[in-house]
Amino acid sequence: MLCCVKGMVRWILLVVVVVLAGLGACVYFFIPREPTISVVDATYKDPIITPNMVAMDLNSIISIDNPNYLAIKVESMRLAVSYKSVEVGTVSPDGLVMAARDKANHIIPVKLFTNDTSIARQMYDDARSNGGFTVRISGPSKLKVLSFDFDKDITFTQFIDTTSVVPKEDSTTTRTARRVAA
């Protein structure tokens, strides 16, 4: 009789160990881990920089590293571009999917625009005197379970004046600039 009880206890312990190992494996593979989202770089095209207005198209390059064993769809993301803490562009990309166990770059287009004369003037002066200006690309993201923020400063440089005369303060002439490959 004692032999049967010992044998039954061993089987019960074995079943408990197997169940706990199975639960541990499920937790490891199926509980979501926080992905890493970072701003890699940004490029621009067709910039217009005047003392009264700044407009350009940005392509923000976002790197997403998903350590999970399942693909995850980003529920919401708001990508903001700011200059000296003033927002000058925003976009909410839809349908961004992070593949399982993958690291990939995504290009997200953003329109940068301000006609706030004080901000435009500062950006214009930075582009003229320093050869460029720095913007911050940031954003909160929300998945079904996780929520996280990311940001990075990007400096746009090597603006070239394509006009032969520097515009006056009250001039309506636009100063265009372009990025030059290094």
Side-chain angles (χ1 to χ4, degrees):
M1 182 76 163
L2 187 60
C3 180
C4 291
V5 172
K6 281 185 176 181
M8 194 162 44
V9 169
R10 285 184 185 151
W11 278 106
I12 290 173
L13 286 176
L14 181 63
V15 168
V16 168
V17 168
V18 169
V19 168
L20 288 176
L23 286 174
C26 286
V27 167
Y28 179 78
F29 287 110
F30 298 114
I31 296 296
R33 294 175 205 74
E34 186 171 313
T36 304
I37 296 183
S38 59
V39 179
V40 176
D41 196 7
T43 59
Y44 62 88
K45 65 179 184 175
D46 304 327
I48 299 172
I49 303 172
T50 72
N52 300 320
M53 179 192 72
V54 174
M56 67 176 69
D57 294 327
L58 298 180
N59 281 325
S60 302
I61 303 168
I62 307 297
S63 174
I64 300 177
D65 185 6
N66 181 11
N68 296 294
Y69 286 90
L70 299 172
I72 299 175
K73 182 175 181 184
V74 177
E75 195 170 276
S76 68
M77 177 188 284
R78 183 177 177 276
L79 189 67
V81 179
S82 57
Y83 175 78
K84 295 187 179 177
S85 300
V86 176
E87 194 171 285
V88 292
T90 184
V91 69
S92 297
D94 292 330
L96 196 59
V97 176
M98 296 182 275
R101 311 259 324 143
D102 190 30
K103 182 174 184 174
N105 289 342
H106 300 271
I107 298 174
I108 301 174
V110 183
K111 294 259 186 213
L112 184 146
F113 177 80
T114 185
N115 58 2
D116 178 336
T117 55
S118 64
I119 297 300
R121 181 67 196 183
Q122 290 177 29
M123 292 175 85
Y124 175 79
D125 288 344
D126 281 353
R128 285 185 63 211
S129 61
N130 302 330
F133 51 81
T134 300
V135 295
R136 174 162 285 229
I137 300 175
S138 60
S141 295
K142 183 169 175 57
L143 305 173
K144 291 189 181 203
V145 179
L146 306 169
S147 182
F148 47 93
D149 293 330
F150 58 92
D151 61 53
K152 182 175 182 175
D153 289 341
I154 303 286
T155 301
F156 296 116
T157 58
Q158 301 176 345
F159 287 99
I160 296 175
D161 189 357
T162 58
T163 59
S164 58
V165 179
V166 175
K168 298 178 183 171
E169 299 256 333
D170 58 347
S171 173
T172 58
T173 307
T174 60
R175 179 175 191 247
T176 59
R178 60 187 170 94
R179 188 167 187 185
V180 178

